[in-house]
Amino acid sequence: GQQLNQSPQSMFIQEGEDVSMNCTSSSIFNTWLWYKQDPGEGPVLLIALYKAGELTSNGRLTAQFGITRKDSFLNISASIPSDVGIYFCAGLSSGSARQLTFGSGTQLTVLP
Amino acid sequence: DSGVTQTPKHLITATGQRVTLRCSPRSGDLSVYWYQQSLDQGLQFLIQYYNGEERAKGNILERFSAQQFPDLHSELNLSSLELGDSALYFCASSQSGRINTGELFFGEGSRLTVL
């Protein structure tokens, strides 16, 4: 089946630093999404990207849909303690019964 | 609060037993999705229902079954439980129609521990 390679697996950064994480796939996706999961909670949608090359921002978060449709990255600027959590990329392929394929997640720790 | 309600939050049971997990989607959402999250497998899609009908099936074991009722709540039944079934089970709902846009609202999950 389709697989997403998400990196890095974990990150430890200082408060105020910028963060970058990415996802790559051997398959093409028509939609890329980024979710965040806080401890004890379900994933929450951060950003959705629908078009190759699209760059979308949501506050301090910026994500891009790669031109090849096989990759996406997420940047977080000026990190704060509440950015701690697991960030998942997810790809959605074409087809009538398409479903999300999730990456393995990036565990982000923000140090004060 | 996503608006998706899952019960129970925690469940501990023994191998060979059967459990039922319940999900109430957000008001107005017709699609319900079930996902399994384990440490070594990440988030795995199990099954989707749309307005009471099965819409898509993922990596769902034959020991597992689900249904969506007329009031749109859904249940995931797990039987003949094995140690490896221990995981977080998430329900998600979507306001999109039959076509999945990927924009899902997840519940807080049901943590199943099989001893």
Side-chain angles (χ1 to χ4, degrees), chain B residues 18-22 34 60-67 69 75-79 81:
Chain B
R18 172 191 167 95
V19 298
T20 297
L21 309 180
R22 195 178 191 279
W34 286 97
I60 187 166
L61 300 172
E62 284 193 14
R63 300 183 285 108
F64 297 179
S65 65
Q67 58 185 128
F69 295 86
E75 292 181 357
L76 179 67
N77 301 298
L78 315 175
S79 61
L81 285 168

Side-chain angles (χ1 to χ4, degrees), chain B residues 3-114:
Chain B
V4 177
T5 305
Q6 287 189 248
T7 57
K9 286 199 184 327
H10 301 276
L11 194 54
I12 301 174
T13 188
T15 54
Q17 295 298 303
R18 172 191 167 95
V19 298
T20 297
L21 309 180
R22 195 178 191 279
C23 169
S24 293
R26 293 188 323 153
S27 177
D29 286 356
L30 299 178
S31 285
V32 168
Y33 304 76
W34 286 97
Y35 283 83
Q36 181 191 56
Q37 186 178 40
S38 52
L39 282 174
D40 57 345
Q41 292 289 322
L43 274 159
Q44 298 288 318
F45 167 67
L46 296 178
I47 197 163
Q48 177 199 356
Y49 280 83
Y50 174 77
N51 202 21
E53 292 187 1
E54 183 183 301
R55 177 84 178 112
K57 233 175 185 177
N59 303 320
I60 187 166
L61 300 172
E62 284 193 14
R63 300 183 285 108
F64 297 179
S65 65
Q67 58 185 128
Q68 186 179 26
F69 295 86
D71 67 353
L72 301 178
H73 92 271
S74 178
E75 292 181 357
L76 179 67
N77 301 298
L78 315 175
S79 61
S80 303
L81 285 168
E82 301 174 0
L83 294 178
D85 296 329
S86 295
L88 260 173
Y89 291 85
F90 285 106
C91 170
S93 73
S94 170
Q95 62 186 4
S96 62
R98 289 175 59 84
I99 302 298
N100 185 2
T101 62
E103 298 184 20
L104 306 183
F105 293 85
F106 284 83
E108 293 185 345
S110 292
R111 181 174 291 283
L112 173 66
T113 302
V114 182

Side-chain angles (χ1 to χ4, degrees), chain A residues 21 33-37 43-48 56-59 61 63 74 76 86-88, chain B residues 104:
Chain A
M21 56 193 81
L33 306 104
W34 287 89
Y35 282 83
K36 182 193 177 198
Q37 184 176 18
V44 173
L45 179 64
L46 298 174
I47 289 180
T56 296
S57 293
N58 178 6
L61 277 58
L74 175 71
I76 305 173
I86 305 176
Y87 291 79
F88 291 99
Chain B
L104 306 183

Side-chain angles (χ1 to χ4, degrees), chain A residues 8-68:
Chain A
Q9 198 170 11
S10 63
M11 300 181 76
F12 291 80
I13 60 169
Q14 294 290 138
E15 185 176 350
E17 287 184 347
D18 298 344
V19 172
S20 186
M21 56 193 81
N22 68 81
C23 249
T24 59
S25 170
S26 56
S27 307
I28 287 173
F29 288 104
N30 291 330
T31 302
W32 280 93
L33 306 104
W34 287 89
Y35 282 83
K36 182 193 177 198
Q37 184 176 18
D38 290 331
E41 305 284 332
V44 173
L45 179 64
L46 298 174
I47 289 180
L49 303 151
Y50 301 103
K51 207 165 144 182
E54 179 181 356
L55 186 72
T56 296
S57 293
N58 178 6
R60 293 177 297 105
L61 277 58
T62 302
Q64 184 156 31
F65 190 149
I67 290 287
T68 64

